[in-house]
Amino acid sequence: MTDINFKDSDRVDERAPAAARPVLTDVPEGPVRWDIIELLFFAYRDFVGDADHVLEAFGFGRAQHRVVHFVSRYPGLTVADLLDVLRITKQSLGRVLKQLLDEGYIVQKAGDSDRRQRLLFATAKGEALVVKLAGLQTDRISHALRGMGPGEAEAVSKFLRAMIDRDDPDKVLQTILQAKAGASAKDVT
Amino acid sequence: MTDINFKDSDRVDERAPAAARPVLTDVPEGPVRWDIIELLFFAYRDFVGDADHVLEAFGFGRAQHRVVHFVSRYPGLTVADLLDVLRITKQSLGRVLKQLLDEGYIVQKAGDSDRRQRLLFATAKGEALVVKLAGLQTDRISHALRGMGPGEAEAVSKFLRAMIDRDDPDKVLQTILQAKAGASAKDVT
DNA sequence: AAATTTATGTCAGTCATGTTGACATATCTG
DNA sequence: CAGATATGTCAACATGACTGACATAAATTT
């Protein structure tokens, strides 16, 4: 088999004068974190891979998973909320959402205070799918956290939170970031 | 959740029939880790978002980023290696690779022991792009790790490693997983 | 030496999911 | 009432996955 020639891992970052990055500009220069960058890639690749196999049997893809997941977790989410979370266009969302509605994974209900809004709710069928997929992903997470102390698990959570953009958080993100130890996260509206 | 798809036909003929997922099956039931699942989603969304803006200016997408990143980091990677890492088909890779070759971000060289192989190397231009993008992502990582103790940072690394499938790791993954605390690993074979 | 396997490339078509732009409808708000 | 807002929809297009089939050169096996 072919050898891979390895380069110096932690090279000094000598980028051009870091242009206009509003956030994060005050971060001091340091070695490039190739390790974390690549671990994140592989970890996320395998993390989402868990769900893919099940989704295929349902004729769904990741787009459907994301939508039904967040609707299930945050009942009463509006279309606009969902657009903020997923960062896609309403046309893209519309197509995926229509499938989930047609196949009975999600239902809509007009908002009571604002009847233009379409509040989204997962059906029992939708809930079941979400729980199944989240169970697979939880298996992987539990496996990864096994043997780690509570302080270490807390460090993981703290790290992930700090990786997320805090400027202009949407409703769902706000809920997640505010959720401290063991707060149940339902009801966004 | 962003990209990184699965499915392989064409290649992986000799791989073990991943029918039974041997790992992770013995994990006991427990509460669903909604928190980590969603934190991973948002963290990864923003993590890859950093690079997206720069890539757009180059007329590239995430596919090109992944390819030039791994080629730059692991010079002499073969096409087959890259397919293992990215988990895409050779047809998909071919298109993206051709662009990077045509535009001078990557060069090929026939393998010396096996002249059928095309060893891939990043050019200075390719290196520069990779370092620029990795710098942005490092900024975010450094920001997230700031204020965390060395034990906590180690916990993050340990968690991410444990999130990755260990069965049948490809060459690149093996290298990454073997690299212990700050060791600049060279020569695995 | 011949046959087979392997590493890679390529043509051709399809699908999923993202995009933009334009426009319609209902409803809320000043 | 006038305008802004929340949502839906039509149409076209781009990217990056996919499948299947086939081609070539080089290595390996028989």
Side-chain angles (χ1 to χ4, degrees), chain B residues 78-164:
Chain B
T78 67
V79 170
D81 293 333
L82 212 36
L83 290 176
D84 279 342
V85 171
L86 302 180
R87 304 236 172 125
I88 58 175
T89 57
K90 66 177 173 181
Q91 295 89 335
S92 287
L93 176 58
R95 200 173 2 159
V96 170
L97 198 50
K98 191 169 186 307
Q99 289 176 64
L100 291 169
L101 288 164
D102 288 348
E103 301 188 32
Y105 289 83
I106 284 178
V107 288
Q108 286 181 332
K109 180 174 156 287
D112 25 272
S113 60
D114 185 339
R115 287 181 43 209
R116 292 171 304 178
Q117 294 180 329
R118 301 300 164 90
L119 309 187
L120 302 169
F121 300 88
T123 61
K125 197 173 165 188
E127 285 287 336
L129 177 57
V130 167
V131 168
K132 181 172 188 171
L133 295 170
L136 290 180
Q137 298 184 316
T138 294
D139 285 348
R140 181 178 296 273
I141 292 166
S142 299
H143 171 260
L145 288 175
R146 178 180 305 169
M148 296 180 70
E152 291 182 304
E154 188 51 43
V156 169
S157 177
K158 202 163 78 175
F159 170 76
L160 291 176
R161 286 168 195 273
M163 285 286 287
I164 302 171

Side-chain angles (χ1 to χ4, degrees), chain B residues 20-96:
Chain B
R21 322 200 97 250
V23 193
L24 303 179
T25 44
D26 54 332
V27 176
E29 295 287 332
V32 174
R33 295 304 303 259
W34 301 112
D35 56 338
I36 303 291
I37 291 173
E38 289 167 17
L39 286 174
L40 270 171
F41 168 77
F42 285 103
Y44 198 78
R45 180 193 69 174
D46 292 344
F47 172 70
V48 297
D50 286 338
D52 284 344
H53 305 102
V54 175
L55 287 164
E56 197 177 10
F58 284 77
F60 286 153
R62 287 176 196 168
Q64 287 82 5
H65 183 196
R66 291 192 290 262
V67 170
V68 73
H69 174 99
F70 282 107
V71 168
S72 164
R73 281 277 295 162
Y74 304 94
L77 215 56
T78 67
V79 170
D81 293 333
L82 212 36
L83 290 176
D84 279 342
V85 171
L86 302 180
R87 304 236 172 125
I88 58 175
T89 57
K90 66 177 173 181
Q91 295 89 335
S92 287
L93 176 58
R95 200 173 2 159
V96 170

